[in-house]
Amino acid sequence: MISRTQRDLIPTYVFLVIIAFLSIFPFFWMIVSITNTNSDIFSGSMSFGSNLINNFNSFNEQVNLGRVLWNTTKVAVMGTFLTLLVASLAGYGFEMFKSRVRERVYQVILLTMMIPFAALMIPLFTLFAKSGLLDTHIAVVLPTVAWVYIIFYFRQSSKAFPAELREAARVDGMNEWQIFFFIYIPIMRSTYAAAFIIVFMANWNNFLWPLIVLQSDEMKTMTLVISSLSSAYTPDYGAVMVGTVLATIPTLIVFFAMQRQFVQGMLGSIKQ
């Protein structure tokens, strides 16, 4: 017999199943598509085919896979490391150091989140052009280093940092840099893990700004390569799907490897 409570939960379970299906279906269709021909993909075939090797070879003929993966990994890792360092230092400073102008400066920084990136593209492009940094990965990374949302995230998480530890470290003779690197970072590792996933995925999947500043094929990242393949006069959608799967795998690995820390970090927990 099904209890009344279980019956009441049936609509909830049905809704969750529908949402799960809608979330998983694009990934399933993507995996199926890399095994099919263009005609099968256009016809909406939902069965696995035998064209996987041909699609992979076609993608490999059009793209230098090793170079593209290296470019994408370089941009993602460098951008993630610098963003976490700068944003955590800023969040730590805004929370730990008190002054009369602190909140006003912080509010001005938060207000910049309201400025759309489209309004910043031309000034940024002009700046990097005059600096001679166009068509370099540094130009891709630098505008994302001071990510305001991540600064906000670290400041909010820093509110849970035990003030007693900071005072005890000062009594033991540690300076502020030592407190940050040897006490704050190890204790806030769940926060760093959650921020790492967010920033890494954003850098890995970044498209608009790299499209503007990266002009040579040798410097292009995976998203730009997939875009160029799909915008061809006669797109090879099997090869496009292969590229899409290859671009998705690293982000899935990072997320599932750090899923537990991500949840802890988003909940604001601190690992002692």
Side-chain angles (χ1 to χ4, degrees):
M1 293 291 292
I2 300 176
S3 65
R4 181 181 180 86
T5 302
Q6 292 174 327
R7 287 199 301 268
D8 292 340
L9 289 175
I10 288 177
T12 302
Y13 288 136
V14 171
F15 174 76
L16 292 176
V17 168
I18 294 174
I19 295 299
F21 173 78
L22 293 176
S23 301
I24 296 173
F25 177 76
F27 293 98
F28 172 76
W29 184 79
M30 181 176 63
I31 297 298
V32 170
S33 295
I34 66 175
T35 67
N36 288 324
T37 63
N38 270 357
S39 59
D40 291 331
I41 295 173
F42 277 119
S43 65
S45 174
M46 286 293 104
S47 59
F48 288 95
S50 57
N51 210 49
L52 174 61
I53 296 178
N54 291 335
N55 287 335
F56 183 81
N57 290 336
S58 176
F59 177 81
N60 215 27
E61 289 173 0
Q62 302 176 67
V63 176
N64 187 332
L65 182 58
R67 185 182 63 203
V68 171
L69 285 177
W70 165 248
N71 290 342
T72 311
T73 303
K74 177 183 175 182
V75 168
V77 172
M78 185 167 57
T80 301
F81 174 77
L82 291 176
T83 301
L84 292 184
L85 178 62
V86 172
S88 60
L89 278 169
Y92 177 86
F94 276 119
E95 183 59 30
M96 301 300 173
F97 300 104
K98 303 184 185 302
S99 69
R100 290 181 297 177
V101 299
R102 179 187 66 172
E103 293 303 323
R104 292 182 181 179
V105 173
Y106 184 65
Q107 289 170 3
V108 170
I109 292 176
L110 290 182
L111 283 174
T112 62
M113 295 178 66
M114 302 177 63
I115 303 175
F117 183 72
L120 301 175
M121 287 191 298
I122 295 177
L124 283 174
F125 182 86
T126 303
L127 174 64
F128 284 110
K130 291 183 178 180
S131 302
L133 293 175
L134 288 182
D135 201 28
T136 65
H137 292 148
I138 295 177
V140 177
V141 170
L142 284 182
T144 66
V145 167
W147 191 350
V148 178
Y149 169 73
I150 302 300
I151 294 175
F152 167 79
Y153 172 70
F154 270 104
R155 185 188 180 183
Q156 294 303 114
S157 298
S158 297
K159 294 181 184 297
F161 181 75
E164 298 81 7
L165 285 178
R166 185 163 172 257
E167 296 301 325
R170 281 183 168 180
V171 171
D172 290 339
M174 298 181 70
N175 59 41
E176 208 64 48
W177 288 105
Q178 291 172 322
I179 294 173
F180 178 80
F181 284 107
F182 299 115
I183 296 179
Y184 178 83
I185 290 180
I187 288 180
M188 303 293 289
R189 58 183 179 270
S190 293
T191 301
Y192 276 91
F196 178 89
I197 293 176
I198 296 171
V199 178
F200 180 84
M201 288 186 172
N203 281 289
W204 184 274
N205 296 318
N206 195 7
F207 173 72
L208 182 58
W209 181 240
L211 178 65
I212 295 172
V213 296
L214 298 182
Q215 301 168 349
S216 63
D217 292 337
E218 291 75 16
M219 304 299 292
K220 288 186 176 180
T221 57
M222 184 65 79
T223 52
L224 301 184
V225 168
I226 295 173
S227 175
S228 63
L229 290 177
S230 60
S231 60
Y233 184 72
T234 55
D236 184 353
Y237 288 106
V240 172
M241 289 301 172
V242 170
T244 305
V245 170
L246 292 175
T248 304
I249 290 175
T251 57
L252 290 178
I253 292 174
V254 168
F255 178 78
F256 286 117
M258 306 178 70
Q259 184 178 13
R260 181 179 177 183
Q261 292 84 353
F262 176 78
V263 174
Q264 291 172 345
M266 295 305 292
L267 292 175
S269 63
I270 298 178
K271 298 294 289 183
Q272 300 289 349

